[in-house]
Amino acid sequence: MENIRNIYCVGRNYRLHAEELGNEVPTAPLLFTKPTHAAVPMNGNEIELPGGKGEVHFELELVLRVGQRLEPGMEPDDVIDGFTLGLDLTLRDVQSVLKAKGLPWLEAKGFKNSATLGEWLPYPGEEGLKAKDFELLRNGVRAQIGNSSDMLFSIGRLIRHIDEAYGLGPGDLIYTGTPAGVAALVDGDKLEALWGGETAASCTIKLMG
Ligand code: ZN
């Protein structure tokens, strides 16, 4: 966690998820960031989240770790040195109010422990990632399943876009967006994230307050 620099997140990168929240499907990547203090391991531990601010939604996402800068002549895949599954946790009721008022999303997306991270896995490349589905089980029941082939903006496009617009370097993370199926967490929920059917991350949710 200590070497993390920028935490970039992509919103509405899967059509069915954009539609389930009643959002327009974007024509350019929608980016936001989280403070590094949002990052927390998801390795069988208990994760404390705010319990008195309305619904806290899970969003299971493929998370890329950047290991080097994108130099001229390099391919976007060359800068990624690992990936995992993580949760972009969201105070959905807070976000709805912020969106209606046109205010920034920080309060809804940037709270402590809102960026969970499973164990780092070797990155098989953008094409290689498409070979396996990722899946979230809540209390043993499938809540979300996705495949990176359904991304509206490909990993290569996201990397080039972020690099050009905001900069990208070692220690940066990219949460690449969630597929459909997001829902509110309940105190005591046991979450398990699967990569190709194998457990890559797990935790128990503790809603505080
Ligand atoms: Zn998300």
Side-chain angles (χ1 to χ4, degrees):
M1 300 295 128
E2 59 278 3
N3 295 323
I4 295 171
R5 293 185 70 202
N6 299 290
I7 303 176
Y8 292 110
C9 303
V10 185
R12 305 173 194 169
N13 202 25
Y14 290 81
R15 179 179 304 276
L16 294 178
H17 170 63
E19 292 174 353
E20 75 179 342
L21 293 184
N23 292 312
E24 287 180 14
V25 175
T27 54
L30 172 65
L31 268 292
F32 61 93
T33 59
K34 295 189 186 234
T36 53
H37 303 293
V40 65
M42 183 176 172
N43 56 8
N45 50 328
E46 185 174 84
I47 295 182
E48 296 183 351
L49 299 173
K53 296 185 169 185
E55 293 189 348
V56 188
H57 278 201
F58 52 78
E59 296 189 0
L60 181 68
E61 312 200 358
L62 285 166
V63 185
L64 308 176
R65 185 179 64 193
V66 178
Q68 62 176 96
R69 287 185 172 278
L70 184 63
E71 305 287 355
M74 287 173 59
E75 293 299 320
D77 264 354
D78 298 337
V79 307
I80 305 301
D81 72 354
F83 84 102
T84 190
L85 295 175
L87 299 169
D88 162 21
L89 295 166
T90 304
L91 283 164
R92 191 70 72 198
D93 294 330
V94 172
Q95 186 192 30
S96 296
V97 171
L98 295 173
K99 280 161 69 175
K101 292 181 176 177
L103 293 171
W105 289 3
L106 181 62
E107 187 185 354
K109 289 284 200 178
F111 54 93
K112 283 183 252 179
N113 296 345
S114 64
T116 79
L117 292 162
E119 64 174 303
W120 293 105
L121 303 169
Y123 180 61
E126 179 170 344
E127 285 307 310
L129 272 191
K130 297 175 183 174
K132 294 182 180 178
D133 291 338
F134 59 99
E135 183 175 355
L136 182 68
L137 304 182
R138 169 167 38 179
N139 304 320
V141 178
R142 179 187 291 169
Q144 291 188 277
I145 186 164
N147 188 290
S148 58
S149 61
D150 293 323
M151 287 184 183
L152 292 169
F153 301 100
S154 69
I155 288 171
R157 173 128 183 234
L158 292 173
I159 288 170
R160 289 200 187 279
H161 175 80
I162 295 169
D163 180 57
E164 284 174 23
Y166 311 109
L168 203 56
D172 291 350
L173 304 182
I174 305 172
Y175 282 69
T176 57
T178 194
V182 302
L185 289 164
V186 175
D187 186 52
D189 271 347
K190 294 193 184 313
L191 303 180
E192 193 176 359
L194 307 182
W195 172 247
E198 305 282 328
T199 303
S202 65
C203 69
T204 302
I205 297 298
K206 177 74 178 169
L207 293 182
M208 308 298 287

